[in-house]
């Protein structure tokens, strides 16, 4: 019996040893040909479903049954098989796949496609390039990085909006900004939060740039047709980060601190408050002008006058603190990613700030075989404090830029509590920062649910639901004794926004001999609701008690709308032998904002590409390894009609200074603008042709695209009618506009060695816009600060211009001064001649260095800081105050002008002529530059850290703007709307900043 037990025990041990020997843990590291680790490589045991992925250091571990074959595969690398006969450690080197562009990009509806076979133009920006720029607003982070895209900041105030337009304006009055899509769900990017003069905040500012994996810009109609009429303006596809399967939890932390200094206009500091060389003290003699005595000769109370640098005294160094913590990990069938970021920004104007707290989580799991579910939630809480900007009497920037250098603005109040002013009709800027405030608080939720089911290996069914819900609470407080509202004012503004989006998508991908067919069929439902409650209270009865209920008079208005849209779409991509691709897209939309006869409308696209490099000889392929020609045509609808635009509403009235409701009686009259019940969406037809090439194993890539798009049935909301109709105007579908352009993208790797690499990207775009027609024989209409003329680019500047003779010489009057012509005319064009950007990324061992230049040629700017300053005598150019003879022709005699005039008379005359303040906005910017260092992993082995890095980044470090006298030529002071472009007018200056950051992983 004992011998039997010993025998059985021995056999059991042998079996155990055999099993242990066959099922062992094998580890390894995956690198490229230069020895760099490759993360995210799939490692599978051939013939089984067992698999893992390499981590951020290229390391993997897998339970392996010996003998076996391990299969290593990943995007951009050739698949490699390694036979394992019992090794415990393997080092694997993968070779880049040079047969394609090594790029998988996220396209419309979140579908991932190989860029090699795309039939349209798109450009991707990686998430690390977004965060590297250290821009709080991700729109600004794209500036200069994508061809065909123009980005304009509205202000340097924390939380200010930025405008993003792709391939020029598409609509004369509708929204021209690109559609924002996060993980397949369209989200709202309206500009909100402005309760006085100046810009608001575009709502994409609620998104934390640290959670972005990549951004892909879809430009033409062939790329965006699947999004229906909302995608006609181009689409920004934002993909958020996700967790990693088979990965132990890793904790990452990053912290940064930046300092911002304002970029100021050129202001004179040689002359005092006063007029015609006479000093005014601002107390007994008040004036708004600085045409007084020279400061270097002026004495006050027997002492040399002190020079007050008003901008330097008022503006402070802004500070931004950003802290992010993230957790990433996953098991065999699931992954998770969690992130929290706090951003606290203090503006360069005292009392202004922008605080953003964001919480993001994404969880993916395989519920059962072939069913994968992903859920994500993005929550943002933002609080924005700002002051009025622009023309408003309450704007402190206006008073600072026009304040005399001889007057001390502090203290801001007199002993009796009234404001201390050197002039009338404008508040003291220091009083404003203490007594006028505008606050906006936003709570926003962006949940997304995505389920992918594969009933067959070639068939995928996707159900995707997402929502965009936010509540904004705005409050404006103007204390008693304000110049503009002496009795005080309180405004409450609350907005509730809800948008729900659902897509059901069936996608099939199957090969038939030499053909591969990728077909997609889907249905989209989107519902949008918005409610706004606005209360304006005048007359604060209890000082310091800022409750609107305590004001003397309260006027309340409420607006709301609900729109719904349903869409059916189909896309098929037919690939023949990987060199000839045909893509067909169709969509049929119905919307609640249109009349029944026009509520449904079809559109679509046809595109093809031919990869001619497949036929190259080996010798030619060694030089030019990739070549593709693509061609597309699309026709899409542009959803430029707002809710209830087909109705002619009744409006509350003011008659002979009596505002209704009056003494309990409401007063409404039908609107003077007759709406057209047959309005239909605008139509955009676009032709696009492109060439993509790769040279020297993709060390050099060149992409050139030409597009020609035309807008038809453009909506004009206000065309004059004969008074006999009972209306003043009506809306029509009649305008036509064209955009033509060329885009160039160059990617290069000039140097690639084991220790040093240099990546370079250059982009260039040239767009020509022309308004073809407006309505019948109507040749011009107004749109805010810019104007629309037939046969002119969209957005010319129109106004007073100098009188000239037939030869173009200035005409002067008998006093020797130029004067305005009897008729106004076009004095500028806000559209640039071309735009370009250069991005460089260099790596030497553990050091990284990057810098990016942004360039714009042309594009006129209306510099109102100088324009009004000519009257005040504050621009730098007005330091030349000596007598001068204007080079011109006397309008009376026809002879050359010989009459001498003073500098004050000359510039105050220029103040009345808009042409005098139109400046060329050409610039070259060192947009950002950064240097970083990552500690060697070997040095961290005995520490709890897996990675540790440092970085210093500078923004707007150098600006060359030879024809512009303001601080930054890239600013449009009144926000991101169509009619607010090309204006530089007393907005908070943008800043030059330095950022220090630390990033580590545990």
């Amino acid at each position: 019996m004992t011998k039997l037990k010993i025998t059985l025990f021995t056999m059991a041990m042998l079996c155990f040893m055999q099993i242990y020997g066959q099922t062992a843990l094998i580890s390894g590291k995956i690198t490229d040909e230069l020895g760099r680790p490759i993360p995210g490589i799939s490692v599978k045991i051939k013939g089984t479903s067992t698999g893992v992925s390499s981590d951020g250091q290229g390391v993997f571990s897998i339970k392996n049954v010996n003998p076996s074959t391990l299969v290593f595969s990943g995007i951009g690398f050739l698949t490699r098989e390694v036979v394992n006969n019992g090794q415990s450690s393997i080092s694997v080197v993968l070779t880049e796949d040079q047969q394609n562009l090594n790029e998988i990009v996220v396209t419309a509806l979140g579908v991932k496609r190989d860029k090699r076979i795309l039939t349209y133009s798109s450009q991707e920006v990686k998430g690390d390039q977004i965060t590297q720029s250290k821009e709080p607003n991700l729109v600004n982070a794209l500036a200069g990085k994508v061809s065909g895209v123009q980005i304009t900041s509205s202000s340097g105030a924390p939380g200010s909006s930025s405008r993003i337009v792709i391939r020029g304006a598409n609509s004369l009055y509708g929204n021209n900004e690109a559609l924002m899509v996060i993980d397949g769900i369209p989200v709202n990017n309206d500009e909100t939060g402005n309760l006085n003069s100046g810009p608001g905040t575009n709502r994409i500012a609620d998104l934390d740039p640290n959670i972005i994996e990549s951004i892909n810009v879809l430009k033409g109609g062939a790329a965006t047709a699947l999004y229906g009429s909302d995608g006609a303006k181009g689409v920004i596809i934002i993909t958020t980060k996700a967790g990693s399967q088979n990965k132990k939890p890793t904790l990452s932390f990053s912290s940064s601190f930046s300092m911002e200094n304002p970029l100021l206009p050129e202001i004179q500091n040689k002359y005092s408050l006063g007029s015609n060389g006479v000093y005014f003290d601002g107390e007994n003699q008040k004036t708004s002008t600085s045409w007084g005595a020279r400061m270097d000769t002026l004495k006050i109370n027997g002492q040399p006058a002190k020079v007050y640098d008003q901008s330097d005294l008022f503006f402070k160094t802004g500070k931004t603190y950003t802290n992010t913590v993230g957790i990433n990990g996953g098991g065999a069938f699931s992954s998770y990613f969690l992130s929290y970021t706090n951003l606290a920004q203090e503006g360069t104007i005292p009392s202004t700030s922008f605080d953003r707290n964001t919480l993001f989580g994404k969880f993916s799991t395989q519920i059962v075989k072939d069913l994968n579910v992903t859920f994500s939630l993005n929550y943002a809480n933002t609080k924005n404090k700002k002051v009025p900007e622009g023309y408003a009497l309450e704007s402190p920037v206006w008073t600072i830029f026009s304040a005399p250098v001889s007057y001390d603005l502090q203290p801001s109040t007199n002993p009796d509590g009234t404001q201390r002013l050197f002039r009338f009709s404008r508040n003291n800027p220091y009083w404003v920062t203490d007594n006028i405030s505008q606050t906006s608080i936003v709570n926003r939720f962006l949940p997304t649910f995505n389920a992918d089911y594969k009933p067959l290996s070639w068939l995928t069914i996707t159900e995707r639901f997402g929502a965009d819900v936010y509540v904004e609470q705005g409050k404006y407080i103007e204390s008693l004794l304000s110049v503009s509202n002496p009795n005080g004012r309180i405004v409450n503004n609350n907005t509730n926004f809800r948008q729900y989006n659902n897509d059901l998508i069936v996608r099939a991908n199957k090969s038939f001999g030499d053909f591969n067919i990728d077909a997609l069929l889907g249905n989209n439902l989107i519902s949008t609701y918005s409610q706004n409650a606005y209360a304006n209270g005048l007359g604060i009865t209890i000082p310091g008690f800022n409750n609107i209920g305590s004001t003397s008079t309260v006027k309340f208005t409420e607006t709301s709308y609900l729109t719904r849209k349903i869409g059916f779409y189909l896309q098929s991509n037919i690939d023949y032998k990987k060199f000839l691709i045909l893509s067909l897209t169709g969509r049929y939309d119905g919307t609640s904002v249109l009349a029944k006869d026009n509520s449904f409308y079809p559109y679509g696209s046809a595109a093809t590409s031919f990869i001619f490099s497949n036929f190259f000889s080996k010798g030619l392929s060694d030089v030019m390894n990739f070549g593709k020609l693509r061609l597309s045509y699309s026709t899409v609808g542009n959803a430029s009609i707002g809710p209830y635009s087909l109705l002619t509403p009744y409006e509350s009235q003011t008659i002979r200074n009596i505002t209704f409701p009056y003494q309990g009686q409401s007063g409404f009259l039908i609107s003077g603008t007759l709406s057209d019940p047959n309005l239909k969406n605008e139509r955009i037809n676009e032709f696009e042709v492109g060439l993509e090439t790769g040279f020297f194993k993709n060390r050099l890539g060149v992409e050139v695209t030409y597009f020609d798009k035309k807008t038809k049935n453009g909506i004009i909301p206000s065309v004059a009618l004969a008074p006999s109709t009972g209306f003043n105007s009506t809306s029509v579908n009649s305008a036509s506009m064209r955009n033509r352009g060329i885009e160039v993208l160059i990617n290069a790797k000039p140097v690639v060695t084991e220790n040093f690499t240099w990546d370079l990207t250059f982009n260039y775009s040239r767009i020509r816009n022309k308004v073809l027609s407006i309505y019948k024989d109507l040749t011009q209409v107004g749109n805010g600060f810019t104007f629309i003329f037939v046969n002119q680019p969209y957005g010319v500047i129109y106004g007073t211009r100098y009188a000239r003779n037939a030869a173009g010489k200035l005409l002067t009057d008998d006093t020797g001064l130029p004067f305005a012509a009897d008729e106004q005319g076009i004095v500028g064009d806000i559209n640039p001649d071309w735009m370009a950007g250069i991005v460089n990324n260099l790596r030497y061992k553990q050091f990284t260095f990057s810098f990016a230049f942004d360039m714009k040629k042309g594009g006129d700017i209306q510099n109102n800081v100088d324009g009004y300053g000519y009257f005040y005598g504050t621009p730098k150019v007005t330091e030349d105050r000596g007598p001068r003879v204007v080079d011109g022709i006397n309008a009376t005699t026809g002879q050359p002008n010989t009459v001498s005039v003073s500098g004050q008379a000359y510039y105050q005359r220029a103040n009345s002529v808009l042409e005098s303040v139109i400046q060329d906005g050409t610039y070259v910017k060192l947009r950002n530059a950064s240097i970083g260092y990552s500690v060697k992993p070997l040095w961290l082995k005995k520490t709890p850290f897996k990675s540790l890095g440092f970085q210093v980044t500078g923004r707007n470090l150098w600006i060359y703007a030879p024809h512009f006298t303001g601080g930054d030529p890239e600013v449009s002071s009144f926000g991101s709307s169509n009619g607010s472009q090309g204006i530089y007018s007393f907005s908070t200056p943008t800043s030059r900043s330095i950022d220090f950051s630390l990033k580590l992983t545990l």
Side-chain angles (χ1 to χ4, degrees), residues 266-285:
E266 300 173 6
I267 296 176
Q268 68 90 12
N269 62 359
K270 292 184 177 180
Y271 291 90
S272 72
L273 184 70
S275 182
N276 295 312
V278 178
Y279 166 69
F280 285 25
D281 63 8
E283 301 292 344
N284 301 305
Q285 297 171 296

Side-chain angles (χ1 to χ4, degrees), residues 103 105-107 122-131 137-142 145-146 149 164 166 179-182 204 207-209 211-218 235-240:
E103 278 191 81
V105 295
V106 180
T107 62
S122 73
Q123 188 174 340
E124 186 179 60
V125 180
K126 295 296 185 182
D128 56 356
Q129 291 183 270
I130 301 296
T131 55
N137 189 325
L138 71 88
V139 171
N140 293 332
L142 292 173
K145 293 183 174 67
V146 183
V149 174
I164 179 167
I166 300 176
L179 173 69
M180 296 288 176
V181 177
I182 302 177
I204 203 65
L207 187 66
D208 174 22
I211 67 171
I212 296 176
E213 180 68 29
S214 66
I215 293 179
N216 195 27
V217 181
L218 305 182
V235 181
I236 307 296
I237 303 291
I238 301 171
T239 304
T240 60

Side-chain angles (χ1 to χ4, degrees), residues 254-551:
S254 63
S255 181
S256 66
F257 166 71
S258 69
M259 297 176 290
E260 294 99 22
N261 291 304
L263 297 166
L264 301 169
E266 300 173 6
I267 296 176
Q268 68 90 12
N269 62 359
K270 292 184 177 180
Y271 291 90
S272 72
L273 184 70
S275 182
N276 295 312
V278 178
Y279 166 69
F280 285 25
D281 63 8
E283 301 292 344
N284 301 305
Q285 297 171 296
K286 295 182 183 292
T287 183
S288 61
T289 64
S290 291
W291 293 102
R294 283 187 66 96
M295 293 298 294
D296 55 3
T297 62
L298 178 65
K299 290 188 177 182
I300 301 175
N301 298 325
Q303 300 296 320
K306 183 178 180 181
V307 177
Y308 296 93
D309 187 330
Q310 305 291 6
S311 294
D312 186 62
L313 292 170
F314 181 74
F315 294 105
K316 64 175 186 176
T317 299
K319 299 180 179 66
T320 302
Y321 306 84
T322 306
N323 293 286
T324 300
V325 60
I327 300 176
N328 182 4
F333 302 102
S334 63
S335 64
Y336 55 86
F337 176 76
L338 296 171
S339 174
Y340 167 75
T341 297
N342 167 257
L343 179 139
Q345 186 175 13
E346 299 175 11
T348 54
I349 292 181
S351 79
T352 61
S353 63
F354 181 70
D355 296 312
R356 181 179 65 206
N357 289 279
T358 55
L359 181 64
F360 175 75
K362 180 183 284 188
F363 176 73
S364 299
T365 187
Q366 184 182 47
I367 296 180
V368 295
K369 185 181 179 181
D370 299 323
L371 176 60
N372 294 283
V373 173
T374 299
F375 174 77
S376 67
L377 175 63
N378 191 2
Y379 166 72
N381 170 266
T382 62
K383 185 175 183 180
N384 195 191
K385 294 182 179 179
K386 51 189 173 184
V387 293
E389 301 181 52
Y391 294 128
L393 296 180
E394 304 85 9
S395 170
V397 180
W398 179 301
T399 314
I400 286 296
F401 286 169
S402 62
V405 296
S406 61
Y407 184 83
D408 188 359
L409 290 167
Q410 299 187 76
S412 62
T413 57
N414 296 308
D416 62 357
T418 59
Q419 281 198 65
R420 183 170 165 269
L421 307 170
F422 67 89
R423 57 166 293 173
F424 301 103
S425 79
R426 288 220 171 254
N427 289 310
N428 186 299
Y430 294 94
W431 186 90
V432 169
T433 57
D434 292 333
N435 293 276
I436 296 180
S437 66
Q438 180 172 300
T439 304
S440 170
I441 300 175
V442 174
N443 285 283
R444 189 174 191 179
F445 296 86
L446 295 166
T448 302
F449 172 81
N450 191 95
D452 290 325
Y453 177 59
K454 291 180 69 70
L456 301 170
S457 60
W458 51 270
L459 183 67
T460 303
I461 302 173
T462 300
E463 164 63 23
R464 180 185 297 138
F465 172 81
D468 183 358
V469 179
Y470 69 80
V471 176
E472 180 176 26
Q473 297 172 290
K475 194 176 188 72
Y476 175 81
I477 300 171
E478 188 173 348
S479 298
L480 294 166
L481 304 181
S482 171
V483 169
S484 52
N485 288 291
N487 295 321
R489 180 184 178 212
I490 297 176
V491 174
N492 285 346
N493 186 75
N494 294 327
T495 299
N496 289 282
F497 179 87
R498 299 192 296 270
Q499 181 170 282
Y500 303 108
N501 186 94
N502 189 88
D503 282 281
L504 177 62
I505 305 169
V506 179
R507 184 183 180 191
N509 190 313
K510 196 169 181 62
S511 296
F512 300 91
D514 293 331
F515 290 90
N516 179 268
I517 298 178
D518 189 338
L520 181 150
L521 175 68
N523 165 248
N524 172 253
L525 295 169
I526 186 168
S527 173
T528 305
Y529 173 79
S530 179
Q531 179 189 49
N532 179 262
Y534 178 90
N536 183 32
L538 296 176
I540 296 176
T541 57
I542 306 174
F545 183 59
N546 297 321
N547 188 303
I548 197 169
S550 67
T551 57

Side-chain angles (χ1 to χ4, degrees), residues 914-948:
L914 180 62
E915 182 184 347
S916 69
V917 298
I918 304 304
Q919 298 179 349
D920 183 353
T922 295
Y923 69 78
V924 178
K925 277 189 178 186
L926 179 55
R927 174 73 62 175
N928 56 67
S930 67
I931 185 169
Y933 176 76
S934 298
V935 178
K936 286 185 177 182
L938 183 64
W939 296 356
L940 300 174
K941 275 192 172 182
K942 296 183 179 180
T943 72
F945 305 116
K946 294 181 180 178
S947 66
L948 179 62

Side-chain angles (χ1 to χ4, degrees), residues 797-981:
I797 304 174
Y798 179 82
T800 54
R801 52 185 175 175
Y802 285 114
R804 301 177 186 272
N805 63 11
K809 290 282 289 184
L810 278 177
L811 295 177
T812 63
D813 57 22
D814 291 338
T815 67
L817 291 171
F819 57 93
D822 292 335
E823 294 184 358
Q824 296 184 347
I826 297 173
V827 294
D829 176 9
I830 67 174
N831 299 284
D833 297 330
W834 54 263
M835 302 175 294
I838 302 175
V839 180
N840 291 271
N841 289 287
L842 300 96
R843 179 192 64 85
Y844 176 70
K845 293 185 178 180
Q846 305 302 120
F847 288 93
T848 58
F849 178 57
S850 68
F851 58 97
F853 286 94
D854 183 16
M855 295 162 280
K856 185 183 78 168
K857 174 65 170 66
D860 293 321
I861 299 173
Q862 181 178 324
N863 188 342
N864 285 339
V865 174
D866 274 11
Y868 286 93
Y870 289 160
F871 178 82
Y872 297 137
T874 51
K876 187 75 172 178
V877 68
T878 64
E879 286 184 348
D880 178 13
R881 302 191 170 190
R884 81 273 320 270
V885 176
V886 177
D887 182 16
I889 303 296
N890 185 285
T892 303
T893 65
Q895 299 299 313
N897 174 51
T898 59
V899 181
S900 177
V901 297
S902 68
Q904 180 174 350
Y906 173 76
Y907 283 110
Q908 288 190 333
R909 174 61 61 86
N911 161 260
S912 64
V913 182
L914 180 62
E915 182 184 347
S916 69
V917 298
I918 304 304
Q919 298 179 349
D920 183 353
T922 295
Y923 69 78
V924 178
K925 277 189 178 186
L926 179 55
R927 174 73 62 175
N928 56 67
S930 67
I931 185 169
Y933 176 76
S934 298
V935 178
K936 286 185 177 182
L938 183 64
W939 296 356
L940 300 174
K941 275 192 172 182
K942 296 183 179 180
T943 72
F945 305 116
K946 294 181 180 178
S947 66
L948 179 62
F950 309 90
Q951 182 174 295
V952 180
T953 301
R955 285 185 288 134
N956 290 330
L957 295 178
W958 174 74
I959 300 177
Y960 173 70
H963 311 294
F964 182 69
T965 57
D968 187 345
E970 196 201 346
V971 172
S972 194
S973 297
F974 293 95
S976 58
S977 66
N978 292 335
S980 300
Q981 303 309 298

Side-chain angles (χ1 to χ4, degrees), residues 743-815:
E743 300 165 349
V744 178
L745 175 65
I746 299 175
N747 290 295
K749 296 179 181 291
V751 181
V752 179
T753 66
E754 182 177 355
N755 292 323
F756 181 71
T757 59
W758 175 18
D759 294 324
L760 181 148
T761 300
F762 170 79
N763 71 81
Y764 168 89
S765 54
R766 179 183 183 273
I767 301 172
R768 292 294 180 266
N769 175 281
K770 188 176 182 179
V771 177
L772 303 177
S773 64
I774 297 176
Y775 176 69
K776 295 183 178 179
D777 58 353
L778 185 65
T779 60
Q780 76 174 81
V781 288
N783 185 16
F785 291 102
T786 56
F787 289 80
I788 303 166
F789 281 79
V790 173
N791 294 323
Q792 293 291 333
Y794 175 80
V796 293
I797 304 174
Y798 179 82
T800 54
R801 52 185 175 175
Y802 285 114
R804 301 177 186 272
N805 63 11
K809 290 282 289 184
L810 278 177
L811 295 177
T812 63
D813 57 22
D814 291 338
T815 67

